Amino acid sequence: MQYDPARHNRQSFRLKGYDYGKPGAYFFTLCLQNRNDWLFGSIKYGEMRLNEFGAIILDEWRCTPDIRCEIALDSFVVMPNHIHGILWITHDVGQIPVGADGRPPLQRQPRSLGSFIAGFKSITTRRINEIRKTPYRSVWQRNYYEHIVRNDGELRRIRRYIAENPKRWKSDEHNTGMAIPGFN
């Protein structure tokens, strides 16, 4: 298949020129590589029922502040095929560390939203694939949705959206229609 820029060019949701290591609240959504896989559990009567893979996701979310001192947790929900969360970057991270050769070790800014997402995807993928015995298999889509939370009203609205997400599963844009009888 030939490269077609209209079809193959990934669009970025990032705000051009914005410092995603800057203190503040960030809302994000991560989706599974295959949205038809309800890998994390199911919705029953408007409540999310986590399976062992969903429990891994929740466990990694909860231990985030222990690993990343610059992050504080806010609202979060695991859905059958995606997750939503709000996290806070609580302080400026300072100067980017350099490697032995004098260059930054990564292209993404350390201690930023992008760095958190990359680390979260990596550890959850590794843990899930260890259980499934599927090394190197992708779990997450390459990109993710993010939104900089700009004021208290927006923060309240997004928190409510996250909390009510399981109750709205029937009409959720990420619901692929692969419903299991009695699990809607």
Side-chain angles (χ1 to χ4, degrees), residues 38-51 78-81 166 169 180 182-184:
W38 288 10
L39 188 62
F40 304 140
S42 58
I43 304 288
K44 185 172 184 177
Y45 306 115
E47 290 186 21
M48 181 62 191
R49 306 292 171 98
L50 298 177
N51 60 20
V78 180
M79 297 295 288
N81 61 2
W169 179 240
I180 301 167
F183 288 79
N184 54 12

Side-chain angles (χ1 to χ4, degrees), residues 15 36 55 77 83 90 95 107 135 141 151:
L15 183 59
N36 291 330
V77 67
I83 62 174
T90 57
Q95 190 174 0
Q107 288 185 345
Q141 287 183 354
N151 58 53

Side-chain angles (χ1 to χ4, degrees), residues 140-173:
W140 302 103
Q141 287 183 354
R142 286 178 59 185
N143 213 345
Y144 60 95
Y145 172 81
E146 60 79 16
H147 175 78
I148 303 159
V149 181
R150 292 179 172 87
N151 58 53
D152 289 340
E154 216 175 57
L155 182 60
R156 283 190 300 274
R157 180 184 57 78
I158 295 169
R159 282 176 176 157
R160 187 172 48 250
Y161 172 81
I162 290 171
E164 295 173 356
N165 209 250
K167 291 177 178 62
R168 291 190 315 275
W169 179 240
K170 282 185 181 181
S171 61
D172 192 300
E173 68 179 288

